Amino acid sequence: MNDIEMIICISTIFLIILVVIVLFKKRGYTINNLKGKMGEHLVKKYLKMLGDNYKIFNDIYLDDHGKSVQIDHVVISQFGIFCIETKNYKGKIYGHSYEFYNPIKQNLSHLNALNKTLGIKWSENLVVFLNRASKLKIINNSTFCGYPSDAIKHILSFKIKIYTAQKVLELSNKLSSMKKKNTCVVRYKHLKQVKQNRNNQTVMS
């Protein structure tokens, strides 16, 4: 490759990156959104380790009384339903659940929306942290907080069947039907809502 070809190649790559950034910004995405999506993609790969008996849904948008709710991952099985929030945090993360509002309580609202949508009474709350450089020390008896590999072990630790195979299929079909409604417009409206909520919090503080 000569110098001219090298310059053309580098310029093309730079242009592609620039176009992607512009497109993401137009859709309301930020750098944190992109980091979050990368983290969700990694957890998605881990969840495939669960096997065929576990139905996995990623990036689900639900309507909760006119409010848009985005759930990173949902796992449906005969052993239970698991609502998963992914966080790509760094540094020390510690505290009690009542003082650790985000993301444990954030995922609780997701979990409630999921339960209403599926018509069930209970699902498991999991918060998965991706960066093992982070030091985790979170006290919470009702919510799993840990790394992806530990989350897989936690899900597989549920051994008692509480749903029939038919019920799992029914719930999976219902969530699959909801996911088909997750158009680009729905995603854009959700990002706009999140941005508005953050702006409101900034004004209040």
Side-chain angles (χ1 to χ4, degrees):
M1 182 181 291
N2 57 42
D3 292 343
I4 295 177
E5 290 176 333
M6 178 68 75
I7 292 172
I8 293 174
C9 182
I10 293 174
S11 299
T12 302
I13 293 172
F14 177 77
L15 182 61
I16 291 172
I17 293 173
L18 185 62
V19 170
V20 170
I21 291 173
V22 170
L23 287 174
F24 270 100
K25 283 193 172 183
K26 277 191 174 183
R27 292 188 177 184
Y29 284 95
T30 64
I31 296 300
N32 286 335
N33 291 139
L34 294 177
K35 284 175 63 180
K37 291 300 176 185
M38 290 171 63
E40 290 171 26
H41 182 70
L42 180 60
V43 173
K44 180 180 175 180
K45 285 188 174 181
Y46 269 94
L47 291 175
K48 288 181 179 179
M49 297 167 58
L50 291 170
D52 296 336
N53 292 328
Y54 295 80
K55 307 301 180 183
I56 301 166
F57 297 86
N58 305 290
D59 197 23
I60 302 290
Y61 292 80
L62 302 176
D63 181 80
D64 185 22
H65 300 294
K67 179 182 176 182
S68 175
V69 173
Q70 187 265 338
I71 303 176
D72 293 339
H73 315 279
V74 176
V75 177
I76 299 178
S77 74
Q78 288 186 266
F79 307 101
I81 297 171
F82 306 86
C83 182
I84 304 170
E85 175 72 14
T86 299
K87 289 299 178 186
N88 207 352
Y89 288 162
K90 289 183 179 180
K92 295 180 180 179
I93 303 169
Y94 56 91
H96 293 269
S97 60
Y98 60 82
E99 60 188 13
F100 193 61
Y101 178 80
N102 189 13
I104 293 178
K105 288 190 177 179
Q106 176 190 358
N107 203 41
L108 277 175
S109 65
H110 298 171
L111 184 144
N112 291 333
L114 177 65
N115 292 348
K116 289 177 184 177
T117 299
L118 295 180
I120 59 176
K121 293 182 178 180
W122 180 257
S123 53
E124 295 293 326
N125 188 5
L126 285 80
V127 179
V128 177
F129 296 91
L130 292 167
N131 199 317
R132 281 196 172 271
S134 301
K135 293 183 179 180
L136 283 177
K137 188 177 180 182
I138 302 169
I139 301 172
N140 187 283
N141 295 326
S142 61
T143 301
F144 167 87
C145 296
Y147 302 112
S149 57
D150 299 321
I152 298 302
K153 293 177 183 176
H154 178 73
I155 293 172
L156 292 174
S157 70
F158 288 76
K159 303 293 186 182
I160 299 174
K161 292 183 179 181
I162 60 175
Y163 295 114
T164 64
Q166 180 60 36
K167 185 63 176 179
V168 168
L169 180 61
E170 177 189 320
L171 295 173
S172 297
N173 288 340
K174 185 178 289 188
L175 200 57
S176 181
S177 177
M178 292 297 300
K179 187 168 174 59
K180 288 178 181 178
K181 299 176 182 178
N182 294 169
T183 62
C184 291
V185 174
V186 172
R187 292 185 178 92
Y188 177 77
K189 286 183 177 179
H190 175 78
L191 289 171
K192 191 175 180 180
Q193 174 187 288
V194 171
K195 187 176 181 180
Q196 184 62 49
N197 290 341
R198 286 174 180 169
N199 290 338
N200 291 341
Q201 288 176 358
T202 302
V203 171
M204 289 175 65
S205 60

